Amino acid sequence: MSKRENEIKWDKLDNTAHLFPVIAGESMSNVYRISVTLHEKILPGYLQEALDKVLPWFDVFRVRLRKGVFWYYFEDNKKPAPRVMEERTYPNQFISPNKNNNYLFRVSYYRKRINLEVFHVLTDGMGAINFLRELTYQYLRLVHPELLEIVPDALCSDTSLNKEDSYVRNYKKSHAKGYKTRRAYLIKGEKLRPLELGVIHGYMPVEQLKAAAQKYQLSINEYLVAVFFWSVWQECLHCVPKGRPISVAVPVNLRPYYHSITTKNFFVMVSAVFEPTKENYTFEEIAAITAESLRSQINPEHLEHLFAYNVSNEKNLMLRAVPLFVKNIAIKSVYQTSALANSTTITNIGSIQVREEYQPYVDKFHAFLSMSKGQSIKGCICSYQGTLVFTFSSTLTDVSIQRAFFRRLAREGVEVEIETNGVYDEKM
């Protein structure tokens, strides 16, 4: 091996990623899952071979996390790919930087499903979809070599490997802080056992959802947030104002606004807010409040405002010289305040596209989130070939919100098929 090949390369964390190593731990993993289900049982040997082949293409995933004097940073990870394991534990558990061959993601399988779990410090949902798609394509080429007659045994030409920090690249000027500090209504209740995570998938036809949303002049995303507001208002507040707003954090993918193709994190959080001030709200009223709240925030000017404050702190010469342990105290303090400003998070990673040659082998996709401070229930949306999946993940034993959510959709004419990971089988 030449001296050049033996050199260890390093890379900065993107602007959002600086938060995750500071707050992550066993009780708050900051790990999310995206999975693909095929029409056939997974063969683990081929899945491991596929991971071994694909990982070297993706520099964003082929790293380990290191602690410097002033910042955390990534270092090139030259260890073998992590071992593919059959799923035997609850999902989205903490990925220790000192285990798993120092990688910050894991790949597992269960029957026909391939799971990719990612520590958010690496990338957001768009970057993870990129990686999972290529892993799946490579796996299918190994299991079905006849595919090589119609597709090359290589990375797809439209798969991005770009790893710029698009926050810094698109930063223009400093703004006042963009995060919320007013405390929201927090959804509480009896908890499941430690590390246990309840997962409920609701499968729905996209066209039926679109028709239901259009009755209220809403997008599908706005409509689903409104249904969540309605469910909490009915089941938790029992139609009585509690003095705090119900607030839903909604991640917004910034790539379309800035023509970015980065595979690192590039999103900001906006918050849909419903603050009850009376005892009787129609769903139409909640729908209108939801639309106004989201539309007033999802525009280029406001989105830039949200990330510019954080980038300005990173660029501040005086702050850059502050030792990491002091930065960590400040970051934790800011997080503690801002985290309690939201009741939950609902994220939509969009419609997942699969190349035509591989579509006969792919059945469906799922995505869901781990819990964070003050948020014991979260929602995640993705769709594939006309079916949308809304997935609730929760550490609460009670499922009244989830039940009310799906029943509301059913009353609106949306056909809903429910699937769980077994934690809530008797409750749904």
Side-chain angles (χ1 to χ4, degrees):
M1 181 180 292
S2 69
K3 182 179 178 181
R4 186 177 182 84
E5 289 174 322
N6 208 28
E7 288 178 355
I8 300 293
K9 294 182 291 185
W10 69 277
D11 193 15
K12 294 180 180 180
L13 277 64
D14 64 71
N15 184 261
T16 290
H18 290 301
L19 168 69
F20 299 116
V22 181
I23 64 173
E26 293 289 345
S27 61
M28 193 167 67
S29 68
N30 285 278
V31 170
Y32 61 89
R33 172 184 286 193
I34 300 179
S35 62
V36 58
T37 301
L38 307 182
H39 288 296
E40 57 196 39
K41 191 174 180 180
I42 302 301
L43 304 176
Y46 284 115
L47 183 57
Q48 183 68 61
E49 186 178 348
L51 180 59
D52 293 342
K53 284 192 168 190
V54 167
L55 182 57
W57 294 336
F58 286 85
D59 289 345
V60 164
F61 282 80
R62 195 170 43 83
V63 295
R64 61 188 297 180
L65 185 66
R66 308 289 279 179
K67 182 186 287 187
V69 176
F70 301 107
W71 298 103
Y72 287 96
Y73 65 95
F74 290 129
E75 189 178 80
D76 204 23
N77 192 345
K78 294 186 177 296
K79 291 187 177 182
R83 302 310 302 167
V84 168
M85 306 290 287
E86 184 175 14
E87 183 177 12
R88 297 183 184 277
T89 60
Y90 291 103
N92 291 5
Q93 293 187 20
F94 180 62
I95 301 175
S96 172
N98 299 317
K99 299 178 181 178
N100 196 45
N101 281 358
N102 298 125
Y103 287 99
L104 302 171
F105 71 95
R106 65 169 71 96
V107 175
S108 63
Y109 66 95
Y110 181 72
R111 296 181 181 173
K112 300 178 181 181
R113 188 178 69 233
I114 300 171
N115 308 309
L116 173 65
E117 295 184 345
V118 181
F119 183 21
H120 221 319
V121 71
L122 290 181
T123 184
D124 55 23
M126 300 307 296
I129 289 169
N130 250 355
F131 186 80
L132 178 61
R133 249 194 316 238
E134 287 296 345
L135 175 63
T136 305
Y137 293 167
Q138 182 65 64
Y139 170 80
L140 289 171
R141 291 196 296 269
L142 290 169
V143 175
H144 300 280
E146 63 272 17
L147 278 168
L148 295 173
E149 298 175 9
I150 53 175
V151 293
D153 191 23
L155 191 73
C156 293
S157 59
D158 56 352
T159 295
S160 173
L161 297 178
N162 182 289
K163 58 175 190 171
E164 73 171 16
D165 185 340
S166 289
Y167 294 105
V168 173
R169 175 173 178 149
N170 293 287
Y171 167 76
K172 293 179 182 177
K173 58 183 178 180
S174 176
H175 290 275
K177 69 180 182 181
Y179 56 87
K180 291 172 52 189
T181 55
R182 185 186 175 194
R183 188 162 178 164
Y185 172 78
L186 301 183
I187 301 166
K188 298 179 180 180
E190 182 184 349
K191 291 290 188 78
L192 298 170
R193 292 172 296 181
L195 302 182
E196 196 171 19
L197 187 69
V199 179
I200 301 174
H201 305 296
Y203 300 90
M204 296 162 266
V206 170
E207 288 305 313
Q208 290 182 8
L209 262 178
K210 192 179 294 184
Q214 286 175 345
K215 288 190 292 186
Y216 305 98
Q217 291 79 53
L218 300 178
S219 68
I220 286 178
N221 210 47
E222 293 167 342
Y223 177 61
L224 292 172
V225 172
V227 174
F228 182 86
F229 278 145
W230 173 264
S231 302
V232 175
W233 172 238
Q234 295 284 319
E235 299 297 324
C236 299
L237 278 70
H238 305 292
C239 303
V240 178
K242 300 293 185 183
R244 294 193 185 276
I246 308 169
S247 181
V248 176
V250 179
V252 178
N253 175 21
L254 293 174
R255 292 170 182 82
Y257 295 91
Y258 294 96
H259 308 290
S260 169
I261 56 170
T262 186
T263 54
K264 289 190 173 185
N265 289 298
F266 195 37
F267 69 96
V268 292
M269 292 283 198
V270 302
S271 292
V273 178
F274 168 46
E275 184 168 9
T277 57
K278 60 180 184 177
E279 293 190 0
N280 294 307
Y281 282 90
T282 65
F283 183 75
E284 288 81 358
E285 288 176 302
I286 292 177
I289 291 168
T290 305
E292 194 281 328
S293 182
L294 285 174
R295 292 173 192 177
S296 66
Q297 298 176 74
I298 302 179
N299 58 74
E301 294 77 16
H302 183 69
L303 297 176
E304 182 191 337
H305 173 92
L306 291 175
F307 76 77
Y309 172 74
N310 292 334
V311 176
S312 68
N313 285 336
E314 184 180 344
K315 284 179 166 289
N316 185 298
L317 292 177
M318 292 182 64
L319 292 176
R320 286 168 66 178
V322 173
L324 180 61
F325 78 92
V326 178
K327 285 191 180 87
N328 287 352
I329 294 171
I331 290 171
K332 278 186 178 180
S333 176
V334 171
Y335 174 76
Q336 298 278 6
T337 302
S338 60
L340 298 179
N342 286 297
S343 314
T344 190
T345 298
I346 295 179
T347 184
N348 188 346
I349 63 174
S351 175
I352 301 176
Q353 306 299 316
V354 171
R355 290 179 70 97
E356 185 178 357
E357 298 87 350
Y358 300 100
Q359 288 177 12
Y361 304 93
V362 176
D363 182 19
K364 55 194 172 187
F365 287 85
H366 303 97
F368 55 90
L369 307 173
S370 57
M371 301 301 98
S372 54
K373 185 175 180 63
Q375 299 184 32
S376 299
I377 181 171
K378 292 188 180 182
C380 194
I381 306 163
C382 67
S383 60
Y384 174 65
Q385 289 194 336
T387 297
L388 181 143
V389 186
F390 190 106
T391 299
F392 280 107
S393 48
S394 177
T395 52
L396 299 176
T397 60
D398 183 61
V399 295
S400 58
I401 293 174
Q402 296 95 311
R403 190 186 299 115
F405 180 90
F406 291 123
R407 285 180 177 175
R408 174 78 209 187
L409 292 170
R411 286 201 303 272
E412 296 273 2
V414 179
E415 297 172 14
V416 183
E417 182 182 339
I418 302 296
E419 180 184 29
T420 82
N421 68 336
V423 173
Y424 296 132
D425 276 354
E426 294 181 2
K427 296 177 180 285
M428 292 300 290

